[in-house]
Amino acid sequence: MLSAKRLFREILDHDESFRLFCSIAAGGEAQGGWENGRIAALVPPSQRALAPKIARHGADEDKHGRIFTALLRRRGLTPAPVPPGTDYTMLLERRGIGLSHARLRRDEPLTERDIVVYLAHSRVTEQRAAEQMALLLKHFADHPEIGRAVRMIADDEDDHLAYTHEELLRLAAAGHGRFIQRTLRDCALAEIRVHRDVSLAVMARMSRVLGWSRTRSALLTAGIRAAYCYERLVGWHRMVTLGMPARRDPLGGPVTPAPEFV
């Protein structure tokens, strides 16, 4: 029987597949940390109160990258090169989702619309991250090797998702409602395509590393494509709705040094 728990346990138990998984995750988190750091530095004067929260978001992403690197180090492994087809953040940027790296490298203040684009992009991608971590939390919260990392990252992702809801609702009330909904829809539809492509690329790599049969690989491919069809039809709506979160002001307060994972 194919199950998420069984598949991930296979990846976890094999050094090379675990190395690839952690390397992909660490690279994406480090990229997110850089992006948030640049956005925090370029926040327009009208949104200056948001800068510490964006910086906190970036600090969390940096922390997650260090956690995945530490998991590799514990097993005596070094990071692997990230195959281009598995680079989620790069593929999203190529589709024009979020703020481009070229824009973030310029020392010019962002606009309020840029902040909406950033938050909408984060709302969609943090939905995905929170759901993936919830799945790992369900099956591996008490795992002796990765349990603590899963619990820490899952809690942060829930904070990040709550923060994007809260800030987008604030900006909607300030008159950006239509632009927010349009941007969320564009981000969601692009993200589900990128997620499908990255999932297929990762699955193909894992299949070769773990020696999965053609039948098993075909079943997994069919499952990924079926999930995409569902998301393309109706599933994307969960990524564009906004509601006041139970966690209020989850990234408020000053940025503090992120605790190291040991």
Side-chain angles (χ1 to χ4, degrees):
M1 178 181 176
L2 296 177
S3 69
K5 182 175 182 179
R6 181 178 173 183
L7 289 171
F8 191 78
R9 188 171 291 283
E10 286 187 41
I11 293 169
L12 177 64
D13 290 343
H14 189 284
D15 278 354
E16 194 56 32
S17 57
F18 184 69
R19 180 178 180 234
L20 179 60
F21 169 80
C22 287
S23 298
I24 292 171
E29 297 288 357
Q31 191 63 50
W34 178 85
E35 290 172 359
N36 278 277
R38 288 300 299 155
I39 292 166
L42 300 174
V43 167
S46 63
Q47 298 296 319
R48 183 54 54 188
L50 194 56
K53 298 179 183 182
I54 300 173
R56 168 94 174 266
H57 189 180
D60 285 346
E61 303 289 357
D62 284 335
K63 177 181 69 177
H64 299 168
R66 292 197 303 275
I67 287 173
F68 284 112
T69 301
L71 289 173
L72 288 173
R73 189 168 59 246
R74 280 182 170 186
R75 203 182 280 195
L77 302 172
T78 57
V82 176
T86 67
D87 194 329
Y88 176 76
T89 55
M90 180 188 71
L91 293 173
L92 281 173
E93 182 183 3
R94 285 182 179 175
R95 286 191 173 271
I97 300 304
L99 299 174
S100 72
H101 288 182
R103 175 66 183 89
L104 294 179
R105 289 190 182 100
R106 297 202 305 267
D107 288 324
E108 299 173 7
L110 300 172
T111 66
E112 283 200 2
R113 283 209 160 196
D114 288 332
I115 295 300
V116 168
V117 168
Y118 151 70
L119 286 168
H121 169 252
S122 295
R123 158 72 183 94
V124 169
T125 55
E126 293 297 343
Q127 177 81 37
R128 182 74 68 187
E131 289 172 354
Q132 291 178 331
M133 292 310 303
L135 181 63
L136 290 178
L137 192 64
K138 176 182 177 182
H139 297 302
F140 298 99
D142 297 322
H143 190 278
E145 184 177 11
I146 68 166
R148 181 171 173 238
V150 167
R151 294 192 302 273
M152 289 174 66
I153 296 173
D155 189 60
D156 285 345
E157 300 297 4
D158 287 343
D159 279 347
H160 299 166
L161 183 57
Y163 147 77
T164 62
H165 275 266
E166 195 172 61
E167 295 303 331
L168 283 170
L169 285 170
R170 178 181 63 80
L171 287 166
H176 295 283
R178 290 185 180 225
F179 182 60
I180 287 170
Q181 283 302 317
R182 189 165 63 249
T183 307
L184 281 171
R185 183 181 184 278
D186 291 344
C187 285
L189 293 176
E191 192 280 339
I192 63 174
R193 288 193 296 272
V194 168
H195 181 257
R196 176 202 59 192
D197 294 345
V198 168
S199 297
L200 289 170
V202 171
M203 188 279 299
R205 293 271 176 168
M206 294 299 179
S207 179
R208 290 195 290 272
V209 169
L210 295 170
W212 290 340
S213 68
R214 288 186 179 181
T215 300
R216 191 178 201 197
S217 295
L219 287 171
L220 289 169
T221 297
I224 291 168
R225 294 191 183 282
Y228 167 74
C229 289
Y230 167 77
E231 290 201 321
R232 184 64 182 83
L233 291 172
V234 294
W236 64 273
H237 290 282
R238 77 190 190 285
M239 295 179 162
V240 303
T241 57
L242 295 174
M244 191 56 69
R247 298 186 182 202
R248 301 299 300 275
D249 197 24
L251 300 188
V255 178
T256 56
E260 294 300 325
F261 181 79
V262 295

